[in-house]
Structures are given as structure tokens and as C-alpha cells.
Amino acid sequence: MSAESGPEPPEDLYQRLDHILFDKVEVLRRIAEMGREIEADYKGKPLTMVTILQGGMLFMADLIREVHLPMKIDSLSVSSYGSGTTSSGTVTFHQDRMPHLDGRHILILDDILDSGRTLRAIMDRFAKEGNPLSMKVAVLLSKKVERAADVTADYYGFEVGNEFVVGYGLDYDGEYRNLPVIGVLKPEFIH
Ligand code: 5GP
Ligand code: MG
């Protein structure tokens, strides 16, 4: 610790949270409910779930184990946020290889639907590059804001207000994804 840099941030990530919105038990219970709904909707259909990295990976890992149907999984690496807490508005694709879409029902998974720009860009690209039988969206969180792009969450876990949340896949500057809960950071940990 030095006088200029102030105190070291606590090692325990929970201590950096101002408050918890959804704990681990609530999240897993809600994902199980979503699983039942998705299972009913996709029974007998060739399903591929495509998760958006990095934020959507925890959600996918838990959701696919609650959908007891034959399915394929894939992922897509994009960035839309940079390192701050507000959307950059531009979506960068980090890979050339697109998931196999033809003849499949595609369910795109992400951690949170905010402006909708990220999912819109992905759905437009999928529609251009393949012939999926259908495309739907499942997100863990849906932010209660006016969408800048036309996207609806066909399935969502919880609604959140217009604040910046972390945990359960959601990062601030690359960190906090491994927090098993969803919460709001204390202002002193946002720089
Ligand atoms: P959109 O394109 O819908 O504005 O933003 C979607 C992406 O922005 C999400 O995949 C997520 O990475 C990021 N994002 C939006 N809101 C939040 C938030 O409250 N917390 C965190 N950690 N990321 C967010
Ligand atoms: Mg993100």
C-alpha cells in the first residue's frame, strides 16, 4: 500500500459489491425454469445454442444442463463494450468462422440485453451468412431501457434497472465474471 495509490482493493470480490441483486441459488433456480420452457419449445427440433463470449459462457454452461434435449452448442466472440461501463455502439467480430446455421433452429445466448446493438449485429450477420430454420434470443438479464436496436429477448431470466451489473459472466474491465452472484459494484471500484 502506498500513499499515492490508496488502499489495495480487497481480494474478496464480494467486498467490492455495494449490493447483491440475485444470489447463486436464485440464478440457478431461474435458469432451471428457463430450461423447462426452452425444452418444451424445441422438442423434436434440430437445436443449436450459440453463446456470446465471454459473458454468455456461464449462462450457457448452466442452461444447457437444464435442457434435456439433443442439441449442439457453439460460440461467437464479439466485443461491444470496451472496458468502460457504457456501450461503444460498435460491434467487433473476433472470428471469421461462423457457427453452422443451415437447417438448425438457432438460440443465441448472452449475459445481458442492453441497447440490443450486439444481438442485432449478430442476428443480421447470421441471417446474411446462413439459412437457420429460426433464430431466437435467450439472455440471463434484460435491462429495462429503451433499446437502440430492434431486439426482443424471447427468454430472459430477470429484469434489471439501468445500472451496471457484474458477476455470473458479466465483467467490469475483464474482472468479476467468476462471481457466482449478480450485483452492483461500489463506486470506488469503478475507475
Ligand atoms: P448491448 O449491445 O445490448 O448494449 O450490450 C450487450 C453487451 O454489453 C452485453 O453482452 C454485455 O457484455 C455488455 N453490457 C451491457 N450492460 C451491461 C452491464 O450492466 N454490465 C456488464 N458487465 N456488461 C454489460
Ligand atoms: Mg461484456
Side-chain angles (χ1 to χ4, degrees):
M1 196 192 292
S2 77
E4 294 97 272
S5 62
E8 288 289 322
E11 286 293 329
D12 181 353
L13 292 179
Y14 283 93
Q15 290 178 32
R16 303 192 195 176
L17 291 181
D18 183 70
H19 57 279
I20 291 174
L21 293 171
F22 309 105
D23 69 23
K24 191 176 169 178
V25 172
E26 290 176 277
V27 169
L28 292 177
R29 194 188 293 135
R30 182 67 192 118
I31 290 175
E33 287 173 2
M34 296 175 81
R36 295 291 77 70
E37 207 184 324
I38 290 166
E39 210 175 274
D41 293 350
Y42 286 94
K43 202 170 191 308
K45 296 177 177 172
L47 169 64
T48 301
M49 290 199 195
V50 179
T51 198
I52 312 307
L53 300 175
Q54 315 290 331
M57 69 169 124
L58 279 78
F59 179 45
M60 172 179 260
D62 285 330
L63 182 65
I64 57 175
R65 285 177 287 181
E66 295 293 345
V67 178
H68 309 118
L69 296 175
M71 72 167 82
K72 295 182 181 180
I73 60 169
D74 211 330
S75 62
L76 195 68
S77 178
V78 305
S79 55
S80 51
Y81 240 57
S83 60
T85 58
T86 49
S87 181
S88 66
T90 50
V91 178
T92 312
F93 288 78
H94 297 300
Q95 73 206 68
D96 301 324
R97 186 195 66 84
M98 283 288 125
H100 179 77
L101 304 162
D102 294 359
R104 309 289 303 175
H105 291 276
I106 305 296
L107 184 59
I108 306 171
L109 310 184
D110 204 357
D111 48 8
I112 188 166
L113 172 61
D114 185 5
S115 73
R117 288 192 186 101
T118 306
L119 284 164
R120 186 70 268 155
I122 290 164
M123 292 175 94
D124 288 350
R125 180 115 182 221
F126 281 5
K128 209 167 67 189
E129 300 209 358
N131 287 301
L133 294 173
S134 71
M135 261 195 291
K136 281 199 201 180
V137 167
V139 289
L140 182 60
L141 303 176
S142 173
K143 230 180 229 192
K144 273 194 266 177
V145 293
E146 214 180 300
R147 309 267 180 248
D150 180 26
V151 178
T152 318
D154 299 286
Y155 309 90
Y156 66 87
F158 305 98
E159 281 193 321
V160 292
N162 192 11
E163 58 185 347
F164 191 78
V165 301
V166 297
Y168 205 86
L170 292 135
D171 73 307
Y172 171 62
D173 204 8
E175 293 190 320
Y176 304 98
R177 295 193 196 277
N178 58 322
L179 254 178
V181 303
I182 296 164
V184 176
L185 285 175
K186 290 177 182 161
E188 62 261 41
F189 297 110
I190 296 188
H191 37 266

